[in-house]
Short mmCIF file of all heavy atoms in Angstrom, two decimals:
data_model
loop_
_atom_site.label_atom_id
_atom_site.label_comp_id
_atom_site.label_asym_id
_atom_site.label_seq_id
_atom_site.Cartn_x
_atom_site.Cartn_y
_atom_site.Cartn_z
N GLU A 39 9.51 9.43 -9.64
CA GLU A 39 8.14 9.71 -10.09
C GLU A 39 7.18 9.66 -8.90
O GLU A 39 6.26 10.48 -8.82
CB GLU A 39 7.71 8.71 -11.17
CG GLU A 39 8.44 8.90 -12.50
CD GLU A 39 8.18 7.79 -13.48
OE1 GLU A 39 8.29 6.61 -13.10
OE2 GLU A 39 7.88 8.10 -14.66
N THR A 118 -5.95 -59.67 21.40
CA THR A 118 -5.14 -60.88 21.18
C THR A 118 -4.26 -61.22 22.39
O THR A 118 -3.48 -62.17 22.33
CB THR A 118 -4.24 -60.71 19.94
OG1 THR A 118 -3.35 -59.61 20.17
CG2 THR A 118 -5.07 -60.50 18.69
N THR A 142 -1.85 -28.29 32.82
CA THR A 142 -1.49 -27.77 34.14
C THR A 142 -0.86 -26.37 34.02
O THR A 142 -1.20 -25.47 34.79
CB THR A 142 -0.52 -28.73 34.86
OG1 THR A 142 -1.17 -29.99 35.03
CG2 THR A 142 -0.09 -28.19 36.21
#
Side-chain angles (χ1 to χ4, degrees):
E39 291 171 312
T118 62
T142 299

